[in-house]
Every structure is written in C-alpha cells, then in structure tokens.
Amino acid sequence: FSFKTILPGKYLNGELYRPSHIHFRISEKNSKELVSQIYFKGDPHIIKDPWASQQKAKERILEIKPEDTHGNLAIQFDIYMREK
C-alpha cells in the first residue's frame, strides 16, 4: 500500500514543540494491531521530544527524498504485521 499526504507541521506540547510526525494505526483481522508514528531526519525538535528521542524510535526517523522533478517528496516505511 502507499498513500499521499502533506508534510505535517509541528505543534506545541506543553513547553516543547513536537517534531513533525505521522501516526499510523494499522489493523488486520489475523494480526495484532499496530499503532506507531514516524518522524523525519533533520527535525531539530527530535532531540528534546520524549517519544522521538527514545532509542526504540531511531528506526522510525526517516529521510525525506525527492520523488520527482515536480517537488514531490517521498519516504519509505515498511510495515510488517505479526499474527496473533
């Protein structure tokens, strides 16, 4: 599957800004539901964010790459579902 979206903005969470991120909630009847989020390399707010700065989030901080010559950008995030 693939989908298109806009590059999300940042928002204030208490005294800190959350880094730009996209939430995923994926379910399939024979698999455990996955709730996750991805972040974007180079975002200066990752360092202080209590979720994005965790060791387990490192594989979800993704590089944004040009997709074409029209200014469209792309990331690749492979998702694997585990059976219940």
Side-chain angles (χ1 to χ4, degrees):
F1 295 96
S2 66
F3 67 93
K4 292 185 178 195
T5 185
I6 61 168
L7 185 61
K10 300 162 183 19
Y11 60 86
L12 195 57
N13 184 30
E15 295 183 13
L16 299 174
Y17 276 94
R18 292 286 332 268
S20 294
H21 59 282
I22 297 174
H23 291 270
F24 287 90
R25 183 175 183 172
I26 302 163
S27 61
E28 190 273 328
K29 67 180 180 176
N30 297 316
S31 301
K32 182 179 176 185
E33 181 179 62
L34 170 68
V35 178
S36 189
Q37 52 192 311
I38 58 171
Y39 306 95
F40 307 101
K41 280 188 181 179
D43 190 311
H45 301 287
I46 288 174
I47 296 169
K48 292 184 179 181
D49 186 75
W51 298 278
S53 63
Q54 292 179 7
Q55 181 67 27
K56 66 182 181 178
K58 287 192 184 247
E59 291 184 28
R60 293 181 285 115
I61 300 172
L62 307 173
E63 185 175 352
I64 302 173
K65 297 179 180 180
E67 182 176 61
D68 54 34
T69 59
H70 302 289
N72 293 309
L73 305 172
I75 60 166
Q76 182 170 338
F77 181 58
D78 297 326
I79 298 171
Y80 301 91
M81 301 297 290
R82 181 182 300 165
E83 287 190 31
K84 290 182 183 177

